[in-house]
Amino acid sequence: VAAAAPDAGPGPAWQSKCPWGAPSTTSISCSLADVMSEQLAKELQLEEENAAFPEVVAAAEGPFITGENIDTSSDLMLAQMLQMEFDREYDAQLRREEKKINGDSKVSISFENYRKVHPYDSDSSEDEVDWQDTRHDPYRADKPTTTPRRGFIGKGKDITTKHDEVVCGRKNTARMENFAPEFQVGDGIGMDLKLSNQVFNALKQHAYSEERRSARLHEKKEHSTAEKAVDPKTRLLLYKMVNSGMLETITGCISTGKESVVFHAYGGNATEDKVIPPECAIKVFKTTLNEFKNRDKYIKDDYRFKDRFSKLNPRKIIRMWAEKEMHNLTRMQNAGIPCPQVVILKKHVLVMSFIGQDQVPAPKLKDVTLSNEDMKKAYYQILNMMQQLYRECNLVHADLSEYNMLWHDGKVWLIDVSQSVEPTHPHGLEFLFRDCRNVSQFFQKGGVAEALNERELFNAVSGLNITADNEVDFQAEIEALEKMNEDHVQNHGKKLSTFSSDGDPPIYDE
Ligand code: ADP
Ligand code: MN
């Protein structure tokens, strides 16, 4: 602006005619530009910081005890996290109450003073420290040039108050020393640098946000492993379990599958009606919906869930998987089949007893090398379990394989039964046949000479007597049976309780 002002030569016409003479253009333009650019720079910086490090991201993260950082300092973090979650819930409730009370009223009451969220978690209003108020200044310097209590130095004309520009500037420079150690401020005092309040505040703001940012990045690195597996809502559920004392600690992640994440935890205190096993497995059913789409067929056609299925939103359907696993495990437990014992179900999180010891899960059958004798023992045990499952529990596992059987304590344990169905499920027999194929192939390959082939095993488990001697015909007969059952449902509105083996009239369960 200053450069554009025509100083040289005769002034323009209006200038000479002007009765008050030429206006002075010397100083104003320069300082205005300065002020504006400084302000603009500050705004831009804030904007940039906000965009790069949104506060919410940091707030949503929390501590989590993983296999890598089992050290006890996590207890503190866990406590803080719990407190934070509590505070946040408390505040949310407060906000609801506030809203309810105020309604549409023109005069409103604020509950602001009763909010709980901890300062480290809240936004930066306390960052704006009043630079003049030395009593509350966290950046108080070690006495560079002090202003006495009465607030001024000197006498008469030479009096300088604490608002004096020079004194203030020096004080601000000295205060920079109190920024975080990694923040290089240079030797401002030695240079007798005098920082304006505006510049000092901007620098302070920057130092502060830098500090918080590095803390945040550090924290992220430390907790990123198992935490990624669960969303904040699930984390809260888990914290609550620890908070209530039901679980002692959640130590880490055992498995991350497509549809679930399994954690290990040490059990906590027993309640009146519940004994908590010393070690627990926590199965978290993933709430990312697309993974579950292909499982619809298991549950949609399961008449136990039929009425509910159509009315549910996807989130609830996922809870239903957890619920199903719980019911199925309970049935198995009642029949005496070795399987995890249900501890508690909360939404999509199922807590059960841990199969294994000292945080080490029992190996899957596919990962363990058994002696011939144990292999044979395992085979007969599984044959037995499949029969029990079918007859006593009225269930078909539907995902039975060496991946879902654990070897522990000299025997086989069945897990992963969320997809198990009753035999009269429209595809129940097909699922059973697939299970039989997996089992018989595994043991035949494993050198168990006595192992039945898949068709023999199918008949042995189901009690049916399908005589086809090849797989294609066998499968066709299975499907025919399923269809017969479905037709029966269409005509009579009721399922057969079992498939009859020899063309007898169907048996009803009442
Ligand atoms: P997915 O549907 O992801 O296969 P699973 O129920 O099979 O879920 O669990 C995945 C893995 O977690 C299992 O292969 C097993 O290693 C481990 N696991 C699950 N439940 C338990 C348990 N109760 N005790 C020990 N390990 C378990
Ligand atoms: Mn599994």
Side-chain angles (χ1 to χ4, degrees):
V1 179
D7 280 343
W14 63 268
Q15 216 168 18
S16 53
K17 279 183 198 149
C18 179
W20 296 285
S24 151
T25 55
T26 41
S27 64
I28 308 158
S29 61
C30 169
S31 69
L32 180 65
D34 269 2
V35 169
M36 282 175 67
S37 67
E38 204 170 330
Q39 252 167 15
L40 183 68
K42 195 168 150 191
E43 272 166 28
L44 283 175
Q45 195 205 335
L46 271 177
E47 220 169 84
E48 210 171 278
E49 275 171 12
N50 288 345
F53 310 104
E55 297 292 330
V56 263
V57 173
E61 299 298 324
F64 205 87
I65 307 171
T66 68
E68 282 98 270
N69 60 339
I70 325 175
D71 65 329
T72 46
S73 64
S74 311
D75 283 350
L76 173 65
M77 286 192 291
L78 195 63
Q80 282 173 335
M81 181 66 195
L82 284 165
Q83 183 67 53
M84 202 171 84
E85 297 288 2
F86 171 84
D87 290 347
R88 204 170 277 140
E89 273 179 41
Y90 180 89
D91 285 0
Q93 177 60 25
L94 210 61
R95 226 164 277 133
R96 277 194 293 275
E97 274 172 32
E98 189 178 332
K99 209 166 153 195
K100 200 168 134 199
I101 284 186
N102 289 330
D104 295 328
S105 166
K106 279 188 187 124
V107 182
S108 63
I109 298 167
S110 167
F111 288 5
E112 190 62 48
N113 290 343
Y114 296 96
R115 301 239 153 95
K116 281 218 171 194
V117 169
H118 282 189
Y120 76 82
D121 183 41
S122 71
D123 262 313
S124 57
S125 59
E126 89 271 18
D127 289 2
E128 275 311 314
V129 176
D130 180 3
W131 55 271
Q132 286 173 340
D133 188 353
T134 44
R135 285 167 308 173
H136 296 129
D137 189 354
Y139 296 102
R140 194 197 308 247
D142 295 332
K143 301 195 177 188
T145 36
T146 51
T147 312
R149 222 168 253 272
R150 56 191 168 148
F152 58 89
I153 309 175
K155 284 179 185 161
K157 263 199 291 185
D158 299 329
I159 199 165
T160 55
T161 69
K162 62 178 175 176
H163 301 289
D164 179 83
E165 234 177 70
V166 176
V167 174
C168 231
R170 287 196 182 121
K171 206 150 100 183
N172 285 339
T173 303
R175 280 185 191 151
M176 275 204 314
E177 293 290 305
N178 293 338
F179 291 169
E182 62 272 18
F183 197 77
Q184 302 292 329
V185 292
D187 184 13
I189 298 176
M191 289 162 55
D192 196 24
L193 184 70
K194 297 170 217 55
L195 288 179
S196 75
N197 293 327
Q198 201 179 13
V199 173
F200 172 74
N201 273 331
L203 279 172
K204 178 163 67 64
Q205 188 84 38
H206 179 67
Y208 217 177
S209 56
E210 271 301 298
E211 203 178 328
R212 282 185 302 173
R213 185 178 67 178
S214 76
R216 217 175 289 151
L217 289 177
H218 183 63
E219 199 177 318
K220 273 225 180 94
K221 232 183 275 164
E222 235 172 37
H223 304 295
S224 57
T225 43
E227 231 179 335
K228 271 187 298 199
V230 296
D231 57 304
K233 277 196 183 120
T234 308
R235 226 173 297 150
L236 180 55
L237 265 179
L238 297 180
Y239 290 134
K240 278 181 181 164
M241 288 178 183
V242 176
N243 201 23
S244 70
M246 195 194 84
L247 296 179
E248 174 74 38
T249 42
I250 299 169
T251 62
C253 175
I254 308 170
S255 143
T256 35
K258 267 204 316 241
E259 291 146 357
S260 73
V261 186
V262 181
F263 296 99
H264 171 275
Y266 284 109
N269 305 322
T271 56
E272 303 124 37
D273 57 335
K274 215 165 231 126
V275 183
I276 313 289
E279 291 184 75
C280 296
I282 308 170
K283 186 165 178 176
V284 178
F285 287 77
K286 281 200 185 166
T287 44
T288 24
L289 305 169
N290 47 4
E291 310 277 7
F292 275 89
K293 283 223 179 87
N294 56 1
R295 301 187 86 187
D296 277 5
K297 67 169 186 228
Y298 289 96
I299 208 165
K300 205 161 53 193
D301 298 328
D302 189 328
Y303 76 93
R304 292 180 291 168
F305 295 88
K306 206 155 200 162
D307 292 340
R308 297 163 59 189
F309 190 83
S310 56
K311 299 177 197 118
L312 292 176
N313 66 36
R315 193 169 278 280
K316 288 199 178 137
I317 289 172
I318 282 150
R319 285 190 200 167
M320 226 145 86
W321 286 107
E323 199 184 312
K324 241 182 118 174
E325 176 131 32
M326 178 189 70
H327 287 311
N328 293 341
L329 282 175
T330 309
R331 281 196 199 184
M332 290 160 71
Q333 198 76 43
N334 291 341
I337 296 172
C339 68
Q341 186 166 9
V342 173
V343 177
I344 201 169
L345 171 76
K346 288 264 187 217
K347 297 184 177 170
H348 57 290
V349 175
L350 178 66
V351 182
M352 56 190 147
S353 65
F354 180 71
I355 313 299
Q357 208 181 356
D358 299 332
Q359 298 187 41
V360 183
K364 298 181 185 83
L365 221 49
K366 80 164 180 81
D367 291 326
V368 77
T369 322
L370 296 181
S371 67
N372 289 344
E373 198 187 330
D374 275 344
M375 198 71 173
K376 198 166 130 182
K377 198 169 121 190
Y379 172 72
Y380 279 111
Q381 195 206 327
I382 291 167
L383 174 60
N384 213 334
M385 285 197 294
M386 289 176 82
Q387 287 176 332
Q388 275 182 292
L389 198 60
Y390 191 94
R391 290 166 200 187
E392 294 170 41
C393 308
N394 198 30
L395 284 175
V396 168
H397 187 290
D399 193 15
L400 193 65
S401 74
E402 57 274 27
Y403 287 82
N404 282 329
M405 296 190 267
L406 305 181
W407 181 256
H408 178 65
D409 234 0
K411 60 183 173 193
V412 177
W413 298 65
L414 294 189
I415 60 162
D416 201 359
V417 290
S418 61
Q419 72 294 314
S420 300
V421 297
E422 300 200 343
T424 50
H425 179 284
H427 302 287
L429 294 184
E430 288 166 77
F431 296 151
L432 178 62
F433 189 56
R434 196 176 58 192
D435 285 354
C436 290
R437 189 191 299 138
N438 291 337
V439 169
S440 95
Q441 276 175 7
F442 177 76
F443 284 99
Q444 282 177 346
K445 274 187 199 147
V448 177
E450 294 89 341
L452 301 171
N453 72 34
E454 61 220 42
R455 283 160 302 181
E456 294 163 335
L457 184 58
F458 179 93
N459 283 337
V461 170
S462 66
L464 294 167
N465 188 21
I466 299 178
T467 49
D469 59 356
N470 65 78
E471 184 163 336
V472 176
D473 291 348
F474 200 93
Q475 219 147 2
E477 278 197 51
I478 285 175
E479 279 163 36
L481 272 175
E482 287 175 340
K483 183 156 189 313
M484 210 172 75
N485 185 51
E486 278 307 286
D487 290 347
H488 182 86
V489 175
Q490 295 291 319
N491 298 334
H492 301 269
K494 183 141 180 22
K495 285 249 179 193
L496 314 184
S497 79
T498 56
F499 289 96
S500 65
S501 50
D502 40 24
D504 283 341
I507 303 155
Y508 297 92
D509 59 355
E510 278 166 17

